[in-house]
Amino acid sequence: MKINTILLITLDQSGQVMAQIQSGVVPFPRIIKVSSPQALESAWNDEQNGEIFYDSVRSSYINKELADKMKELGIKDGTQVRVKKYRLGNQPQEYELREDYLDYLPVSFESWEDFASCRPKNVAFSIFSPNGIIKSLFFHRFIIKDAFPLSFFGEERSENWNRFAVVSETETSAKFIIPLV
């Protein structure tokens, strides 16, 4: 069972804000509460360093200093977008694992397996969503789940993902990984 982690930014000492967040939520969320700009920066650095991931950020009853620190760090209320980076095998480069292309398929192919049977390498191609949205990407190579570090295997989202592609938006832009579902 996944437990959500919430970064709560508040000056409230009564516990009212925390109680509002916790009410009706199952399972009970883990809440990291900060009430000073220094504590906020430290908590945010922990997230940026991969030590913790906040599923959402909530601010309530804050002062100007906290609002300014949120703006300086680029923190916004709401749900975080989970984009983690992974090193594959013994390679030094890290790649983002992006979920925004789930359920997309390569144009002119019935499945990713059909596309793989053509043995593509370093080629531009197009994918389409079930809604008919078409995106152009640059294909670099296929990878399997075993190429990921052990930490990936503990993630809930990895359970049904076994094959992936390393792609980029253009031939020279940053490479990222997409799950082939």
Side-chain angles (χ1 to χ4, degrees):
M1 180 181 308
K2 182 181 184 317
I3 297 175
N4 287 328
T5 301
I6 299 169
L7 176 61
L8 174 60
I9 306 163
T10 186
L11 295 173
D12 175 53
Q13 297 299 317
S14 70
Q16 179 181 356
V17 173
M18 195 175 293
Q20 286 174 343
I21 291 172
Q22 293 171 336
S23 66
V25 176
V26 177
F28 220 55
R30 174 177 33 189
I31 299 175
I32 309 298
K33 180 182 167 198
V34 296
S35 55
S36 72
Q38 297 80 11
L40 175 58
E41 186 167 7
S42 175
W44 195 248
N45 285 339
D46 289 345
E47 209 255 358
Q48 299 304 305
N49 294 332
E51 296 173 27
I52 192 168
F53 179 81
Y54 302 114
D55 294 287
S56 64
V57 175
R58 309 267 177 91
S59 66
S60 183
Y61 301 111
I62 63 173
N63 59 17
K64 183 178 179 344
E65 289 82 21
L66 280 170
D68 290 346
K69 184 55 83 171
M70 284 178 68
K71 185 175 181 180
E72 175 189 325
L73 296 172
I75 301 173
K76 296 181 181 169
D77 277 332
T79 303
Q80 297 291 96
V81 177
R82 186 179 299 257
V83 178
K84 289 180 95 175
K85 290 186 175 186
Y86 300 93
R87 280 186 50 216
L88 302 175
N90 60 359
Q91 299 176 10
Q93 184 177 2
E94 289 187 331
Y95 300 98
E96 287 184 355
L97 175 61
R98 299 198 9 205
E99 298 181 32
D100 38 349
Y101 296 111
L102 285 173
D103 298 326
Y104 278 70
L105 289 172
V107 171
S108 303
F109 293 92
E110 300 264 333
S111 66
W112 283 104
E113 287 77 23
D114 290 344
F115 182 69
S117 69
C118 295
R119 299 194 180 272
K121 185 126 177 141
N122 298 324
V123 63
F125 76 114
S126 295
I127 57 176
F128 69 95
S129 74
N131 301 338
I133 298 169
I134 297 177
K135 294 287 274 181
S136 293
L137 294 174
F138 194 84
F139 177 84
H140 296 278
R141 68 180 186 279
F142 288 107
I143 56 172
I144 59 172
K145 189 179 198 172
D146 293 344
F148 282 85
L150 286 176
S151 62
F152 177 69
F153 290 82
E155 294 181 31
E156 185 178 322
R157 65 188 183 154
S158 75
E159 290 176 12
N160 298 316
W161 297 350
N162 295 304
R163 297 194 56 183
F164 305 83
V166 176
V167 298
S168 57
E169 307 240 336
T170 66
E171 186 175 1
T172 57
S173 63
K175 296 176 184 175
F176 56 93
I177 302 167
I178 59 172
L180 307 179
V181 182

